[in-house]
């Protein structure tokens, strides 16, 4: 099942896509695709409503697509989670997941403009699988418990200002936290439709040139371990998002490449999760 949000920023309405691609309006039964909705989501029941024609059809033509989750409580980031990316960054393979937090103000839609921040000199892209949490999780004991709290998956661009991240002291958060730095979507694909989150190909292009091509099979710490691990240090709540790391190919690892600048176009695709596209501007 594919869920999305359409409409102007701050006034999006929830939509579900049927198997034939027809869009159905959920606003009569849900305020938004938020933590409240996800905590109550019954995909089988919703599928029956779609099949029975119980929901109004909506024409998506010309409508903006927002992030598939309404302003998450938090975005949990995972760094250096692909061996080839750690190598290109000159970093050691971590013994435990590297965890950082991104503000919810970084989240925008999959086709929204992304802003190079003021003072930014080395803005970079990172194609990532994103996990959307659907149940409250604390101190999970197993991967089975972790699987039970995942509502679904989507695409994220974990945009990063490398000068802020690596040259300004302190934690990574400064390089990860500018507004618009987490485009999400286009869809939240429910977990029951993703047979194996460790078998998804990721691809990223800049101005039509492919820069990243990896697979979630190459993660150091797999999806279920990331959720289990994070729950030992923080409560994961419905609607929270976790971005799971990026494969090799970022600008940081290729000194001859230019960092992102206004006018550049970044496109990301993950098998089964759709494709997103951002044009970069200036804050």
């Amino acid at each position: 099942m594919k869920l999305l949000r359409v409409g102007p920023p701050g006034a999006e309405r929830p939509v579900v896509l049927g198997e034939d691609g027809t869009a159905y309006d959920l606003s009569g039964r849900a305020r938004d695709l938020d933590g409240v909705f996800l905590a109550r989501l019954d995909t089988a029941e919703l599928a029956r409503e779609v099949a029975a024609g119980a929901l109004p059809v909506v024409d998506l033509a010309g409508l903006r697509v927002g992030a598939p989750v309404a302003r998450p409580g938090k975005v949990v980031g995972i760094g250096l989670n692909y061996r080839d990316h750690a190598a290109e960054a000159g970093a050691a393979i971590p013994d435990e997941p590297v965890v950082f937090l991104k503000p919810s103000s970084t989240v925008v839609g999959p086709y929204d403009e992304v802003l190079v921040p003021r003072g930014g000199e080395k803005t970079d892209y990172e194609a990532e699988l994103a996990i959307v949490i659907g149940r409250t999780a604390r101190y999970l004991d197993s991967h089975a418990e972790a699987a039970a709290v995942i509502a679904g998956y989507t695409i994220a661009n974990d945009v990063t200002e490398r000068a802020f991240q690596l040259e300004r002291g302190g934690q990574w958060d400064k390089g990860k936290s500018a507004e618009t730095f987490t485009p999400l979507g286009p869809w939240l694909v429910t977990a029951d439709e993703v047979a194996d989150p460790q078998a998804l190909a990721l691809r990223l292009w800049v101005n039509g040139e492919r820069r990243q091509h990896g697979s979630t099979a190459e993660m150091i710490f797999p999806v279920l371990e990331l959720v289990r691990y994070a729950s030992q240090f923080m409560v994961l709540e419905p609607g929270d998002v976790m971005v799971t790391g990026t494969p090799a190919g970022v600008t940081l690892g290729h000194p001859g490449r230019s960092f992102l600048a206004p006018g550049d176009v970044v496109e990301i695709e993950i098998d089964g999760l759709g494709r997103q596209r951002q044009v970069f501007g200036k804050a």
Side-chain angles (χ1 to χ4, degrees), residues 49-130:
E49 289 190 45
V50 170
L55 300 171
V57 173
V58 57
D59 183 1
L60 299 183
L63 294 180
R64 168 186 172 270
V65 178
V69 183
R71 197 178 179 99
K74 56 183 171 293
V75 178
V76 182
I78 304 296
L80 303 174
N81 197 31
Y82 288 73
R83 293 180 186 278
D84 55 1
H85 173 56
E88 73 176 355
I93 301 299
D95 295 324
E96 298 187 33
V98 175
V99 179
F100 57 90
L101 295 176
K102 303 188 74 169
S104 59
S105 57
T106 62
V107 174
V108 292
Y111 314 116
D112 288 344
E113 183 182 42
V114 173
L115 302 176
V116 175
R118 296 181 187 181
E121 302 171 353
K122 299 179 180 179
T123 300
D124 210 347
Y125 51 81
E126 293 189 9
E128 308 204 8
L129 174 69

Side-chain angles (χ1 to χ4, degrees), residues 189-273:
V189 180
T190 53
D192 58 299
E193 288 203 6
V194 180
D196 183 357
Q198 303 306 148
L200 303 175
L202 306 87
R203 293 168 289 271
L204 179 145
W205 296 262
V206 177
N207 300 326
E209 176 191 2
R210 193 169 71 186
R211 297 282 185 87
Q212 290 185 283
H213 188 186
S215 170
T216 56
E218 301 159 5
M219 286 183 178
I220 298 168
F221 304 102
V223 162
L224 299 183
E225 175 59 14
L226 293 176
V227 174
R228 186 208 66 80
Y229 181 87
S231 77
Q232 310 305 307
F233 303 96
M234 65 188 76
V235 177
L236 301 175
E237 299 177 314
D240 285 351
V241 172
M242 178 180 289
V243 294
T244 59
T246 196
V250 300
T251 309
L252 177 68
H254 296 265
R257 291 179 181 170
S258 298
F259 286 94
L260 296 170
D264 284 340
V265 178
V266 174
E267 297 171 273
I268 304 175
E269 182 178 77
I270 298 181
D271 288 352
L273 303 185

